[in-house]
Amino acid sequence: MNIAEIAEMAGVSRAAVSRYFNQGYISDEKREAIRKVVEETGYRPSVQAQTLRTKKTKMIGVIVPKVASGTIGKIVEGVLSVLNEHGYQALLAVTQNDAKKELEYLTAFCDKQVDGVILAGTVFSAEHKRILKNLSVPVVIVGQQLAGYCCVFHDDYHASYDVTKLFLQKGRTRLAYISAILQDQAVGAERCRGFQDAVRDMGHGELAQRFVTASFTLASGYEKAGELLEKYRDLDGLICATDRMAVGAVKCLRERGIQVPSQVLVAGHGDAEMARALSPSLFSVRYFYEKSGQIAVQMLMEQMGHGEEARREVKLGYSLVEPEI
Amino acid sequence: MNIAEIAEMAGVSRAAVSRYFNQGYISDEKREAIRKVVEETGYRPSVQAQTLRTKKTKMIGVIVPKVASGTIGKIVEGVLSVLNEHGYQALLAVTQNDAKKELEYLTAFCDKQVDGVILAGTVFSAEHKRILKNLSVPVVIVGQQLAGYCCVFHDDYHASYDVTKLFLQKGRTRLAYISAILQDQAVGAERCRGFQDAVRDMGHGELAQRFVTASFTLASGYEKAGELLEKYRDLDGLICATDRMAVGAVKCLRERGIQVPSQVLVAGHGDAEMARALSPSLFSVRYFYEKSGQIAVQMLMEQMGHGEEARREVKLGYSLVEPEI
């Protein structure tokens, strides 16, 4: 069954059938005739043929470092909720935190002729920037700021600054910090810089170097908390770049008989569900991950319509989450 | 730039260029001539044109109830790891646990002409079965058993049975159970039945009705644990259908000054990261979620090749996870 046959059965021109399926102008009489034939035959136009004609695939490539993570899960749900409203669907690629795979998918998506790309990136190498520059479709970066690109990200610096300041104001002046890798601009570098600037501004510059770097796991937070305890026996506060690290750290502290939060106050970032699982729950920072995914799609849609004019950088706020006792 | 122009520049026929791009037979001489032109021009064949010709989109629709969940995250990562090896990509749809959306996406994916569908379903209504029966492409169901369909699922019944038996053997004879909704065959009905059969088989039939139903959240586990404590003041063991519920329950118990695990031993299912965040960690069951995603793709690929002959039901095992102190 094809358009020509539908046209013949309905007694109209092929152009009329085409307009029918593409929401073009068509008389009520012809519309009704076509509708009847379509209903009787169950005919549906081929999406691929439409794509060849319109050059639009109605698909967006979404590249994320992993899926089994609350943070990324929220971003993806935000993306999908708005994409679907716009009649688009998401082609999802997971890179397992492998920068090489990120580059492969960026290239592959262009071959697949998606209409746009949303990239939840972590590290931007020179190669990333080269490929991003040459992308034939609009791209929005979510979770990281990258100059010259449409991006939506979080105010990681001030969030970390505020948590640190609050810890010092609470009298926790023998603080330490567990950082993520500094190549990760948002979660690594910006949050660590927030910690360092806050301790200096509050007159505790001696704390600025009291930090170690962990990977994004419970086990790593556990291990690094142990190292810090060996080194700083007077520790009374511990701020971690992510909730997952912080939950690992709390486990380490408790196993050594250290009371949390009375002896050591612990904070993370991200308002993860597992942070709320602790009793009392963790001190944390809420970022608007789902919102960032929604905004990313809106920006992408605007770029697809207006090009350069639509380019902007959006920095979202945050709120501190005090522990529930 | 199109195939005809490439053919002219390389001095070969259009058919030769087509065979070149479709891995057909072609002489070394012609292959080299075409390769040079392709390299010089940067030509890439249109995926949509290929699709029209081969009727294959090289895309698989993946429908999941949510993404921001460790369980689903692991399934999706398993699916993607194998899909990508096969040169396929995933179109992802999230239903937010809305059965109506599940039906919409099933229909929509057929319109998009994906080559197959993977459905991580929860509840199967008559409408589900009708639509599944009429799908024009192969489908694999993951996480649930559905007679007559390719599916890969977990031995929820025996896992729950074993946990319950172990609790009774440890002397926890004043048990209760927090169930998921029984319309969810795997996580709800099967796990609850495992609990009930185990208490009866072990001579504690009076416990079979000591269960309540919760939703899939921390807060619901917290609330239901409170209800059970009011009702069964002698409670010494609590088994929950999911780790998330169990973590909420532990929070409730601890806030009431009840020692976990010494006074009340608590178990969940799923070996979730948040279960390992507790000290000591939760008693749990490990299912092979990532593996189930991988197997789902392999079964789908086989179905796409061999049709009915490839249909099978695969039940995966489990292992009990004792708490780490």
Side-chain angles (χ1 to χ4, degrees):
Chain A
M1 187 65 57
N2 60 31
I3 284 198
E5 291 168 294
I6 297 287
E8 199 184 328
M9 288 173 72
V12 302
S13 68
R14 285 179 55 167
V17 178
S18 176
R19 283 199 300 275
Y20 175 89
F21 283 114
N22 292 296
Q23 280 79 46
Y25 171 75
I26 180 173
S27 74
D28 286 350
E29 197 183 339
K30 286 184 183 170
R31 180 180 308 281
E32 185 54 23
I34 298 168
R35 197 195 54 73
K36 267 192 189 158
V37 174
V38 167
E39 206 174 276
E40 279 162 21
T41 60
Y43 172 78
R44 281 200 170 112
S46 152
V47 174
Q48 280 69 40
Q50 283 186 349
T51 300
L52 263 186
R53 207 166 49 244
T54 62
K55 303 279 180 206
K56 293 285 173 219
T57 57
K58 286 281 184 182
M59 283 190 295
I60 299 297
V62 180
I63 304 176
V64 296
K66 56 187 289 188
V67 178
S69 136
T71 306
I72 301 293
K74 286 180 207 161
I75 294 172
V76 170
E77 297 204 341
V79 164
L80 288 171
S81 66
V82 182
L83 262 191
N84 294 337
E85 275 174 25
H86 282 86
Y88 280 77
Q89 285 188 296
L91 264 180
L92 187 76
V94 179
T95 64
Q96 309 286 11
N97 274 309
D98 177 345
K100 222 180 94 229
K101 275 199 179 173
E102 219 165 69
L103 301 174
E104 281 172 22
Y105 284 123
L106 275 171
T107 314
F109 276 150
C110 287
D111 289 356
K112 278 267 177 191
Q113 295 167 317
V114 295
D115 298 341
V117 172
I118 291 174
L119 172 62
T122 50
V123 172
F124 291 100
S125 64
E127 182 69 0
H128 275 84
K129 290 174 189 164
R130 196 186 61 75
I131 291 187
L132 283 170
K133 194 163 237 160
N134 293 325
L135 274 193
S136 53
V137 294
V139 61
V140 174
I141 292 157
V142 58
Q144 301 277 349
Q145 181 176 24
L146 187 62
Y149 287 91
C150 242
C151 49
V152 49
F153 54 97
H154 309 280
D155 193 351
D156 300 279
Y157 171 81
H158 285 105
S160 185
Y161 187 100
D162 283 1
V163 172
T164 308
K165 192 172 159 190
L166 196 62
F167 267 48
L168 293 169
Q169 284 168 342
K170 283 177 190 282
R172 306 289 173 147
T173 54
R174 299 186 304 275
L175 271 179
Y177 184 77
I178 300 183
S179 176
I181 53 162
L182 300 177
Q183 291 94 313
D184 182 321
Q185 195 61 34
V187 179
E190 289 294 299
R191 291 182 190 173
C192 190
R193 199 167 61 86
F195 165 76
Q196 292 182 313
D197 284 359
V199 295
R200 286 191 194 107
D201 291 354
M202 298 284 287
H204 291 279
E206 76 282 2
L207 300 176
Q209 292 312 313
R210 289 186 23 147
F211 75 91
V212 289
T213 302
S215 57
F216 292 100
T217 62
L218 270 180
S220 187
Y222 180 96
E223 184 197 328
K224 295 298 170 181
E227 283 177 23
L228 286 172
L229 279 173
E230 296 295 320
K231 211 166 162 187
Y232 309 115
R233 293 181 181 273
D234 61 347
L235 197 74
D236 65 1
L238 181 57
I239 302 174
C240 306
T242 74
D243 279 351
R244 185 172 275 122
M245 292 174 190
V247 168
V250 168
K251 196 174 166 85
C252 169
L253 294 168
R254 289 199 168 144
E255 284 177 17
R256 294 179 184 223
I258 295 167
Q259 297 293 316
V260 179
S262 58
Q263 287 178 267
V264 177
L265 182 58
V266 181
H269 282 250
D271 191 30
E273 197 174 19
M274 73 162 76
R276 271 173 278 145
L278 300 182
S279 317
S281 59
L282 205 62
F283 198 106
S284 191
V285 179
R286 180 176 303 131
Y287 296 99
F288 308 107
Y289 294 118
E290 197 162 344
K291 194 80 202 163
S292 72
Q294 294 170 351
I295 291 175
V297 174
Q298 286 157 353
M299 285 166 74
L300 193 64
M301 296 291 147
E302 239 188 285
Q303 265 195 96
M304 281 156 46
H306 301 91
E308 291 296 292
E309 184 188 324
R311 181 190 299 165
R312 73 202 56 158
E313 300 182 8
V314 177
K315 186 196 279 186
L316 299 179
Y318 56 90
S319 59
L320 301 191
V321 182
E322 296 261 358
E324 282 174 28
I325 310 296
Chain B
M1 186 65 55
N2 60 30
I3 284 197
E5 291 167 292
I6 297 286
E8 199 185 328
M9 288 175 72
V12 301
S13 68
R14 283 179 57 167
V17 177
S18 175
R19 284 198 301 275
Y20 175 88
F21 283 115
N22 292 298
Q23 281 77 46
Y25 172 75
I26 181 175
S27 74
D28 287 350
E29 196 183 342
K30 285 183 182 170
R31 181 181 308 280
E32 184 54 22
I34 298 167
R35 198 194 54 74
K36 268 191 188 159
V37 174
V38 168
E39 207 175 276
E40 279 162 20
T41 58
Y43 172 79
R44 283 200 170 110
S46 152
V47 173
Q48 279 69 41
Q50 282 186 348
T51 300
L52 262 185
R53 206 167 48 243
T54 63
K55 303 278 182 207
K56 292 287 174 220
T57 57
K58 286 281 182 181
M59 284 190 297
I60 300 297
V62 180
I63 304 176
V64 296
K66 57 187 288 191
V67 178
S69 136
T71 307
I72 301 293
K74 285 180 208 161
I75 295 172
V76 171
E77 297 206 341
V79 164
L80 289 171
S81 66
V82 182
L83 262 192
N84 294 338
E85 274 173 26
H86 282 85
Y88 280 77
Q89 287 189 295
L91 265 180
L92 188 77
V94 179
T95 65
Q96 309 285 11
N97 273 308
D98 178 345
K100 222 179 95 231
K101 275 199 178 173
E102 218 164 68
L103 301 173
E104 281 173 20
Y105 283 122
L106 274 171
T107 315
F109 276 150
C110 287
D111 289 357
K112 277 270 176 189
Q113 295 167 317
V114 295
D115 299 338
V117 172
I118 291 173
L119 171 63
T122 50
V123 172
F124 291 100
S125 65
E127 181 71 0
H128 276 82
K129 290 175 189 163
R130 197 186 59 75
I131 291 187
L132 282 170
K133 194 164 235 159
N134 293 325
L135 274 195
S136 54
V137 294
V139 61
V140 174
I141 293 158
V142 58
Q144 301 277 351
Q145 181 176 24
L146 188 61
Y149 287 91
C150 242
C151 49
V152 49
F153 55 98
H154 308 280
D155 193 351
D156 300 279
Y157 172 80
H158 285 104
S160 186
Y161 187 100
D162 283 0
V163 171
T164 308
K165 191 172 158 190
L166 196 62
F167 267 49
L168 292 170
Q169 284 169 341
K170 283 177 190 281
R172 305 291 173 145
T173 54
R174 299 185 304 273
L175 272 179
Y177 184 77
I178 300 183
S179 176
I181 53 162
L182 300 177
Q183 292 94 313
D184 182 321
Q185 196 60 34
V187 180
E190 288 295 298
R191 292 183 190 172
C192 191
R193 199 167 62 85
F195 164 77
Q196 292 183 311
D197 284 358
V199 295
R200 286 192 195 106
D201 291 354
M202 298 282 288
H204 291 278
E206 76 281 3
L207 300 176
Q209 292 313 312
R210 290 189 16 150
F211 76 92
V212 289
T213 302
S215 56
F216 293 99
T217 62
L218 270 180
S220 187
Y222 180 97
E223 183 196 329
K224 295 298 170 180
E227 283 177 23
L228 286 172
L229 279 173
E230 296 295 320
K231 211 165 163 187
Y232 309 114
R233 293 182 181 272
D234 61 348
L235 196 73
D236 64 1
L238 181 57
I239 302 175
C240 306
T242 75
D243 279 350
R244 185 172 275 121
M245 293 174 189
V247 168
V250 168
K251 198 175 165 86
C252 169
L253 293 168
R254 290 202 167 141
E255 285 177 17
R256 294 177 184 223
I258 296 167
Q259 296 295 315
V260 179
S262 58
Q263 288 178 269
V264 177
L265 181 58
V266 181
H269 282 249
D271 190 30
E273 198 174 18
M274 73 164 74
R276 272 173 277 146
L278 300 182
S279 316
S281 60
L282 205 62
F283 198 105
S284 190
V285 178
R286 180 176 304 132
Y287 296 100
F288 307 107
Y289 294 118
E290 197 163 344
K291 194 81 204 160
S292 72
Q294 294 170 351
I295 290 175
V297 174
Q298 285 156 353
M299 285 166 74
L300 193 64
M301 295 290 146
E302 240 189 285
Q303 264 196 99
M304 282 156 46
H306 301 91
E308 290 297 291
E309 183 190 323
R311 183 191 295 166
R312 73 202 56 157
E313 300 182 8
V314 177
K315 187 196 279 186
L316 298 179
Y318 57 88
S319 59
L320 301 192
V321 182
E322 296 261 358
E324 281 174 29
I325 310 297

